[in-house]
Amino acid sequence: MRPRTRPRTTAGLATALLTAATLPGAAGTARAADPAPAVTRLADTRLDSQAVYFVSYDGLVNNNSFQKNGLLTYRGYQYAAWYTGDRTAVIARRALGAAAWQTARLPHQLTVNDSHNVISMGISRVDGRLHINMDSHSNGFFYVKSAAGLLDDPATRAWNSGQFGSVQTTLDGLALTSQFTYPQFVATPEGRLQLSYRVGVSGNGRNALAEYDGSRWAGLGEWSSSTGAYTSEHGSSTARNMYLHGIDYGADGRLNAFYTWREQSNAVMCDSGGLTNHDTGYVYSTDRGRTWRNAAGTVVGTTGGSDKVAVDDAGTVVDPLNPDHSLMNQESQATDHAGLPHAIISYVPGRFGQCTTDYVNDRRVNGRAFHVLKNAAGTWKKTEIPVAPNSTQRTHLVLDRYDNAYAVMPYGRIVAASKSSGYSDWKTVFDGAGLNAFGEVVVDDTRLTQDGVLSFMYQQKSSGTTPSPLRVIDFRLPS
């Protein structure tokens, strides 16, 4: 890859791209009868009265919104994963709509007080197994899988620790990397299970994929590059990592990935108190993650090959932003029923200044979230959500059956916008009152398609390392 300097677009110019009032119908034409977004609270159940609690990177290990998945639904049952007060990994299930959860303790305890060491779950539909990856941040991981068929007919299968195999530090013998972080499971349209993860460390890492076909795991290789030159108006960096906002298959079988870059060198920032994150990018794959294309369809990278998705690949940046505005990594994405990709991003807009000097305080006071969409005309549109997050933390995006958008913000607040307005009519539909939730929540992305219910897991505020309740709340969306 030939290093080059690409002109940087400042936050002022990026903000000028903001669609403050998107025209109705710009995101696609909705039927007149389609209902507006709304939520009806159904239930709030307790998973654990004494879940492990410590604040690290301004977050909790049981409630990082980028977990994929900490909460998921399959064949009429919902599954949750967390660490309890004695640091033991726990997997629970319930029939949809039930108040009671059945729990199974795994023979593993959280090793360090690091909120990145999340538990992620995935389901291989080809053999009905639940897969769990846990407790890693730039080091080795711990992996366990259930007995075959456990999830295929759950009402007839007992739920206990005996249904799970031994804890491994490989994927059934496949060693991945000694610097492993951010496991995200995603099921292919055929029912195979893929595992996305980062190799390396923050500021110098690569994204990679592995795949399970029902009998064995295989490594597909790395697909993003950490090398090359990036130059801002302040200085240059020669190493970085791509942070995914997600990796998801749409109804058309396309694998979508939004992301931002984090540079290793602080020289690219106006002040060392900010974040070196810059630009929102987008790529997709039509061959199950083997090759990657920009939005125009040009191949920009091959998994396991020499040409990987790189910081200077043409046509990959969909919302340019320099590193001076504390752009958040690993925010959120979703794909609508027409296969159009959506994302949530957040940063401190230029109207609050062109240089963040304390990203924690600056994001809490002036951070704003934005909805990004590639519409049916192929145009990227960005709309500011007029409800401030008031947090350093992330917002999670989901779409209902009518493709209305719901942004689940920190503290369990829900704001929503209708497809019929072109996603311009954002408003609060649940203010989080009474939850006493700390920061981010973990949304069940899989349940909406099964019974039209939005579920999310949240942990209540505590202090120090005093354990606190972990709960799941359910909302009915328009049917």
Side-chain angles (χ1 to χ4, degrees), residues 192-233:
R192 296 188 178 196
L193 185 65
Q194 295 180 322
L195 176 63
S196 167
Y197 59 98
R198 186 185 73 191
V199 178
V201 298
S202 176
N204 191 5
R206 288 85 57 203
N207 289 331
L209 287 170
E211 186 174 84
Y212 177 77
D213 65 3
S215 60
R216 60 184 289 272
W217 282 97
L220 302 185
E222 299 173 7
W223 62 272
S224 71
S225 173
S226 60
T227 61
Y230 169 84
T231 301
S232 74
E233 61 191 277

Side-chain angles (χ1 to χ4, degrees), residues 22 27 40 181 207 231 298 332 376 378 391 464:
T22 310
T40 302
T181 314
N207 289 331
T231 301
T298 302
S332 183
S391 169

Side-chain angles (χ1 to χ4, degrees), residues 98-157:
W101 292 81
Q102 299 173 288
T103 59
R105 292 166 65 94
L106 300 180
H108 179 78
Q109 291 185 308
L110 179 66
T111 55
V112 294
N113 282 2
D114 187 329
S115 65
H116 290 75
N117 290 39
V118 300
I119 303 175
S120 293
M121 299 183 293
I123 296 169
S124 52
R125 299 196 305 270
V126 290
D127 61 356
R129 293 183 193 267
L130 182 66
H131 300 251
I132 300 109
N133 192 298
M134 53 191 165
D135 199 5
S136 62
H137 185 195
S138 302
N139 53 15
F141 61 85
F142 299 89
Y143 165 75
V144 63
K145 66 182 181 183
S146 77
L150 179 64
L151 274 61
D152 286 337
D153 191 9
T156 66
R157 299 288 292 266

